[in-house]
Amino acid sequence: MTTTSHSTHSTLTTATGIALFDRWTALWNGDLSDPEAFLAPGFRIRFGNDPERGAVTDEVHGPAGIVQLVSAFREDWPGLRYAVDGTPLVDTTLGQVACCWYVTLADGFQKSGIDLLEVVDGRISTVWSVTGLRRFAD
């Protein structure tokens, strides 16, 4: 019988995981400064519910790639404001951080999503993101 064990992905702490999620949110809010500080060189993003976006994002590699994607997205949708919805849940053993978030469009419309960050060596290596068509109910 073979057993699989998960590495600790360096020493991810709850505080570090929450800080990484906050920095990830700041990136989507237009803070494009120093992405190499919190994104791994081989960074990838995967959108779980948008086949059209998925085809585009499969080509996104590294910090520069996500900065380019976010910049273009913010140009197409000016006035967006992302916010964390609750406290990120950090699994220090698996090296993962998950949290709900919501975005408010310029016209006041809101919708929600959930992101799962995989953290390796203290930086985000992969993000799995699912976006809904409306704001999650309270």
Side-chain angles (χ1 to χ4, degrees):
M1 180 171 142
T2 304
T3 56
T4 304
S5 64
H6 296 282
S7 70
T8 59
H9 298 275
S10 276
T11 52
L12 178 65
T13 65
T14 299
T16 300
I18 291 170
L20 284 169
F21 206 97
D22 288 344
R23 187 60 187 90
W24 173 245
T25 303
L27 173 77
W28 282 93
N29 280 324
D31 180 356
L32 307 176
S33 63
D34 201 19
E36 294 82 7
F38 68 98
L39 298 173
F43 173 83
R44 299 297 302 268
I45 187 166
R46 304 290 190 189
F47 288 97
N49 61 328
D50 187 342
E52 289 180 21
R53 188 181 296 172
V56 172
T57 60
D58 283 350
E59 301 303 317
V60 173
H61 296 276
I66 191 63
V67 165
Q68 184 178 10
L69 179 78
V70 170
S71 295
F73 188 76
R74 293 194 60 80
E75 284 179 24
D76 291 343
W77 297 92
L80 291 178
R81 186 72 189 151
Y82 287 85
V84 174
D85 196 3
T87 302
L89 176 63
V90 180
D91 186 322
T92 59
T93 302
L94 294 178
Q96 297 177 338
V97 184
C99 195
C100 296
W101 52 264
Y102 66 94
V103 61
T104 304
L105 305 177
D107 65 2
F109 178 78
Q110 293 183 334
K111 63 182 183 174
S112 298
I114 298 173
D115 284 359
L116 172 67
L117 316 180
E118 294 180 353
V119 179
V120 176
D121 295 329
R123 293 189 280 179
I124 302 167
S125 62
T126 306
V127 174
W128 297 89
S129 186
V130 178
T131 304
L133 297 177
R134 63 184 178 96
R135 175 100 191 253
F136 290 134
D138 292 7

